[in-house]
């Protein structure tokens, strides 16, 4: 049986092919799964998708009509999949419920430190042999307050690093994490966390309840010189409201690895095309903003775990087994 994998990055391809070599043939495509590309999957019982795939009703209907019965998504998030439609069409859906939390937590800290210490600006200057320090002053994080919104495995890993910096820890989540409390984290309301934190990092999943969790009111609650980092999902932040606050000169720095309108944009070279997204175009012009293209998870360790789990999901499907990774079981 041959499996079709969409949205495969060049660095990811050899890892996928190696992982599947003893089980199934796999065809890797660099194009993303959407309404235009879904017909390519005709005749493939198993399709593997990436986090930026469009798996809404039209795409699912096309896949089902072409014979697809399993969607094995190579990510933890699944807000891009219409699970009710998949179930109605008799399709099985599986995801990767766990991979290295350190990949994302460490990258979130990379963003925080980069905007705090003006690393991008400094690097650009020195390439031009401009070695002035004007405008490059940062702040010690030791002794300041880190607010962690979402204290699951990734949030905990982020908090451990913050603890290593000697920071005071505030947390917000629906459930308290005892490991974070052992680090000295105090759980408070969202508004108190935003008001008191010098650094706010987001680590909650995107759900209807968390969409635009950081909206205009939340942004106004934050300190004028705070740092905001989002390495989770773009829809957690109201980007238009964020741009409005940045135009007022607020925030020491903002590090974004995700963007609410990133589908069809991230992971693609758009450098020679006209900029159509006015909000993103404005966002990247701010000198205190660093935007990266959803790469926080992208370490060899994490990708290997993602790929290995995807292989297990395929084998479980063929054997009729169900694991914690299954979102829609086999009918």
């Amino acid at each position: 049986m041959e499996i079709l994998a969409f949205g495969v990055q060049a660095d990811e391809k050899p890892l996928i092919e190696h992982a599947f070599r003893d089980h199934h043939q796999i065809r890797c495509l660099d194009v993303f799964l959407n309404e235009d590309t879904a017909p390519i999957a005709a005749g493939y019982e198993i399709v593997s998708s990436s986090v930026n795939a469009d798996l809404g009703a039209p795409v699912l209907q096309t896949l089902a009509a072409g014979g697809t019965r399993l969607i094995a998504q190579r990510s933890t998030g699944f807000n891009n999949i219409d699970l009710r439609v998949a179930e109605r069409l008799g399709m099985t859906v599986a995801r990767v419920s766990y991979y290295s939390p350190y990949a994302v937590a460490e990258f979130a800290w990379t963003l925080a430190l980069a905007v705090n210490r003006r690393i991008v600006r400094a690097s650009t200057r020195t390439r031009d042999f401009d070695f002035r320090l004007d405008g490059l002053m940062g702040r010690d994080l030791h002794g300041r307050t880190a607010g962690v919104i979402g204290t699951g495995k990734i949030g905990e890993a982020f908090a451990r690093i913050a603890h290593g910096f000697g920071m005071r820890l505030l947390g917000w989540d629906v459930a308290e994490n005892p490991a974070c409390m052992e680090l000295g984290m105090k759980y408070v309301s969202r508004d108190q966390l935003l008001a008191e934190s010098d650094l706010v990092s987001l680590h909650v999943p995107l759900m209807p309840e968390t969409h635009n969790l950081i909206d205009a009111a939340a942004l106004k609650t934050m300190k004028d010189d705070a740092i905001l980092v989002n390495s989770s999902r773009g829809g957690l932040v109201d980007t238009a409201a964020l741009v409005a606050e940045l135009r007022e000169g607020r925030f020491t720095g903002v590090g974004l690895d995700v963007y609410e309108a990133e589908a069809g944009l991230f992971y693609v070279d758009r450098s020679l095309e006209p900029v159509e997204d006015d909000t993103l175009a404005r966002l990247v012009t701010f000198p205190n903003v660093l935007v990266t293209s959803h790469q926080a998870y992208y370490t060899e360790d994490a990708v290997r775990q993602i790929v290995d789990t995807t292989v297990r999901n395929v084998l479980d499907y063929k054997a009729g087994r169900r694991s914690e990774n299954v979102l829609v079981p086999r009918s």
Side-chain angles (χ1 to χ4, degrees):
M1 175 185 294
E2 188 176 31
I3 299 165
L4 185 62
F6 285 91
V8 177
Q9 304 297 315
D11 297 331
E12 185 185 17
K13 184 177 180 181
L15 298 177
I16 291 178
E17 292 176 338
H18 179 78
F20 275 95
R21 74 190 188 287
D22 295 330
H23 306 288
H24 297 285
Q25 290 183 311
I26 188 162
R27 178 187 175 195
C28 294
L29 303 178
D30 59 2
V31 298
F32 294 98
L33 180 55
N34 53 41
E35 289 190 56
D36 294 329
T37 61
I40 301 173
Y44 287 90
E45 181 181 349
I46 300 174
V47 166
S48 179
S49 58
S50 61
V51 66
N52 272 346
D54 172 5
L55 285 159
V59 173
L60 291 172
Q61 289 163 359
T62 300
L63 293 176
T68 299
R69 293 294 174 264
L70 170 66
I71 296 169
Q73 177 138 301
R74 303 186 309 279
S75 73
T76 299
F78 54 90
N79 54 286
N80 60 318
I81 308 174
D82 193 324
L83 298 180
R84 286 180 293 184
V85 172
E87 183 176 19
R88 178 168 56 81
L89 293 170
M91 306 176 79
T92 301
V93 180
R95 62 160 178 164
V96 177
S97 59
Y98 174 85
Y99 61 85
S100 169
Y102 309 108
V104 178
E106 290 171 6
F107 193 83
W109 269 104
T110 300
L111 292 174
L113 294 172
V115 296
N116 180 44
R117 301 305 301 268
R118 323 297 190 197
I119 297 300
V120 175
R121 182 185 296 180
S123 177
T124 301
R125 281 187 185 179
T126 55
R127 285 178 180 273
D128 293 331
F129 272 63
D130 179 352
F131 299 102
R132 292 172 302 154
L133 296 182
D134 297 346
L136 301 184
M137 184 176 288
R139 296 182 299 171
D140 288 2
L141 293 176
H142 177 85
R144 286 189 161 86
T145 300
V148 187
I149 295 184
T151 56
K153 291 182 173 64
I154 297 173
E156 178 188 331
F158 184 91
R160 288 188 181 281
I161 298 171
H163 182 260
F165 272 95
M167 300 187 75
R168 172 187 177 225
L169 292 172
L170 297 180
W172 180 86
D173 208 328
V174 293
E176 297 179 353
N177 184 338
C180 290
M181 296 176 71
E182 289 179 5
L183 298 173
M185 177 177 285
K186 178 182 178 183
Y187 280 87
V188 296
S189 69
R190 185 201 64 166
D191 286 349
Q192 182 180 346
L193 182 149
L194 294 174
E196 296 183 12
S197 296
D198 301 290
L199 165 61
V200 175
S201 191
L202 309 181
H203 301 287
V204 293
L206 180 60
M207 303 179 292
E209 298 81 5
T210 59
H211 180 257
N212 281 359
L213 180 69
I214 306 300
D215 57 10
L219 290 166
K220 289 186 181 300
T221 303
M222 295 176 63
K223 294 182 177 182
D224 288 343
D225 59 355
I227 294 171
L228 173 65
V229 173
N230 185 11
S231 58
S232 184
R233 287 293 183 270
L236 299 176
V237 178
D238 183 337
T239 314
L242 176 60
V243 168
E245 294 302 310
L246 289 164
R247 291 185 62 169
E248 296 295 322
R250 300 191 63 222
F251 306 132
T252 289
V254 175
L256 304 175
D257 185 50
V258 288
Y259 174 60
E260 57 184 333
E262 69 182 56
L265 179 63
F266 280 17
Y267 304 149
V268 179
D269 182 3
R270 304 286 189 187
S271 60
L272 299 179
E273 301 177 15
V275 178
E276 298 180 353
D277 190 323
D278 292 338
T279 302
L280 181 59
R282 185 69 181 91
L283 190 63
V284 299
T285 64
F286 292 103
N288 57 335
V289 174
L290 175 57
V291 178
T292 52
S293 51
H294 206 148
Q295 68 183 78
Y297 79 97
Y298 206 52
T299 67
E300 182 177 336
D301 309 80
V303 172
R304 283 188 186 279
Q305 288 178 301
I306 289 169
V307 171
D308 288 345
T309 300
T310 302
V311 172
R312 289 198 300 274
N313 288 342
V314 169
L315 296 178
D316 285 346
Y317 164 80
K318 296 300 294 182
R321 296 188 295 263
R322 181 175 178 178
S323 73
E324 70 281 0
N325 298 320
V326 175
L327 299 169
V328 179
R330 189 170 187 174
S331 57

